[in-house]
Amino acid sequence: GLHTFSDISEFHKMLITALENKHSTEEAWRWYDLRPARQRAVVLADDDIICCITARNELPRLPRLLQHYRQLGVNRFFFIDNDSTDGSVPWLLDQPDVELWQSSLPFMRANYGSSWFELLLRRYGVGHWCLTVDTDEFLVYAGSPGRDLQTLCRDMHGRGQKALAGQLLDMYSDGPIHEVRYQPGDDPLQWCPYFDRKPWHRLYENAGQYRNLRMLFGGPRQRVFPTSSDYMLSKIALFYYEPERVLASGQHMTNLPAQQIAHNQMVLLHFKFFASFEGYARGEAQREVHAMGGEQYKSYTRELDRDGVVSLYHPDHSVRYEGFDQLLALAIVDPEDG
């Protein structure tokens, strides 16, 4: 079943439930090879906001990533390390607000990380607001960082909203990718301050498998690394976890009714294009653990093979990032409801 239905989120949720009911929670964790990196109790306060992240050899990105989300008010990080060899595990174990688990299961077999999150949130996250982000995604919303996540979540709760949806905003430099020599602790905006003034090619309303989202595709990656499968830009970054919640398609979708989702009210600044990108893309193209057998990573590799000096910057498309109000003025995001 895991082999045949690995892309079907409801299958994973039902499988976890069946394993728990027939055997135990521990058996469900065993099926998904989820193991605690240390033996200690996980104790959360009622108002703790949880940030769930999967990582594999992302150590240079981790210091600034945690700094960003700590500044927004995240006080508990749930990391799943997927066989890192770069020192990530000991570094994460030294962080007092990080809980760490490990897994050697291929990423796609865990529903692109969603099944690991499902297991953790069933045990620890019910009744908590949760973020699910990648190591290259930095959340920005109206008033951030001064308006923290606790305030945002209270405001959303007051409007009857249980999830925050928006888009990945691909960020890049004004030069070749191989010259972006990012160092641990650097502000990624100093290296990659540009985005496309029209950051998507296709838009669908009432879209997605639950017909409840505004779905965007394309962007500068489609412009520079064209692929027939296109690049999904829409994502659910923040949600209130309840047992009936489905985490779908690598957290790009969920099963909430449309009226309970705050649509197009955030962006995830997406810092993929550092000098390390070429080696990473080639490795992921060979591993084939991402969607569609890693087709997007194969598209990156094809373009890099064709032209070794690749830049996403183009004077007809590129704009320097100035803040969330700029995105509102460009109609890239919408004002908050109410």
Side-chain angles (χ1 to χ4, degrees), residues 125-175:
V126 175
H128 287 269
W129 285 90
C130 306
L131 286 157
T132 52
V133 295
D134 294 340
T135 57
D136 56 8
E137 296 173 355
F138 284 54
L139 177 66
V140 177
Y141 53 86
S144 66
R147 180 191 181 207
D148 65 14
L149 285 164
Q150 293 282 3
T151 303
L152 173 65
C153 292
R154 283 196 300 269
D155 293 344
M156 290 175 59
H157 176 77
R159 296 192 290 265
Q161 296 167 334
K162 294 184 176 182
L164 178 67
Q167 62 183 288
L168 296 169
L169 191 66
D170 288 316
M171 307 298 295
Y172 49 85
S173 76
D174 59 355

Side-chain angles (χ1 to χ4, degrees), residues 56-249:
R56 177 185 169 88
N57 292 332
E58 299 284 10
L59 181 58
R61 294 179 178 271
L62 298 182
R64 194 69 186 207
L65 178 80
L66 267 64
Q67 179 183 336
H68 176 79
Y69 285 102
R70 285 166 177 158
Q71 188 176 16
L72 292 181
V74 172
N75 41 20
R76 299 306 290 272
F77 293 90
F78 285 7
F79 267 87
I80 299 95
D81 183 85
N82 193 203
D83 276 352
S84 291
T85 57
D86 66 346
S88 294
V89 169
W91 189 90
L92 287 167
L93 287 172
D94 279 342
Q95 308 305 307
D97 51 2
V98 169
E99 303 295 341
L100 180 63
W101 291 266
Q102 294 172 285
S103 180
S104 298
L105 193 73
F107 184 62
M108 66 181 295
R109 294 280 299 278
N111 193 19
Y112 309 107
S114 294
S115 293
W116 291 324
F117 296 159
E118 173 77 21
L119 290 165
L120 294 175
L121 295 179
R122 281 191 187 207
R123 178 172 287 186
Y124 305 113
V126 175
H128 287 269
W129 285 90
C130 306
L131 286 157
T132 52
V133 295
D134 294 340
T135 57
D136 56 8
E137 296 173 355
F138 284 54
L139 177 66
V140 177
Y141 53 86
S144 66
R147 180 191 181 207
D148 65 14
L149 285 164
Q150 293 282 3
T151 303
L152 173 65
C153 292
R154 283 196 300 269
D155 293 344
M156 290 175 59
H157 176 77
R159 296 192 290 265
Q161 296 167 334
K162 294 184 176 182
L164 178 67
Q167 62 183 288
L168 296 169
L169 191 66
D170 288 316
M171 307 298 295
Y172 49 85
S173 76
D174 59 355
I177 295 171
H178 73 265
E179 294 181 358
V180 183
R181 301 291 181 181
Y182 180 85
Q183 298 298 312
D186 287 354
D187 180 355
L189 266 174
Q190 293 180 348
W191 288 97
C192 295
Y194 292 95
F195 64 94
D196 277 16
R197 63 168 47 87
K198 185 177 179 182
W200 44 266
H201 288 74
R202 295 187 288 121
L203 181 155
Y204 300 97
E205 299 287 357
N206 304 313
Q209 67 193 79
Y210 302 106
R211 301 293 184 263
N212 61 346
L213 289 174
R214 182 178 189 260
M215 300 294 293
L216 305 174
F217 296 85
R221 283 180 287 164
Q222 184 66 20
R223 172 168 60 81
V224 178
F225 303 101
T227 173
S228 59
S229 60
D230 213 337
Y231 299 87
M232 183 189 296
L233 303 176
S234 302
K235 188 160 183 176
I236 302 286
L238 174 70
F239 57 89
Y240 184 77
Y241 184 76
E242 299 166 295
E244 64 269 25
R245 194 65 48 240
V246 175
L247 310 181
S249 301

Side-chain angles (χ1 to χ4, degrees), residues 2 6 16 24 33 41-42 47 53 61 90 94 150 163 174 179 181 204 208 227 240 243 253-254 258 287 290 317-318:
L2 280 173
S6 63
I16 290 170
S24 65
D33 188 37
V42 178
D47 61 349
I53 303 170
R61 294 179 178 271
D94 279 342
Q150 293 282 3
D174 59 355
E179 294 181 358
R181 301 291 181 181
Y204 300 97
T227 173
Y240 184 77
M253 291 178 272
T254 191
R287 290 206 310 139
H290 295 273
H317 299 281
S318 303

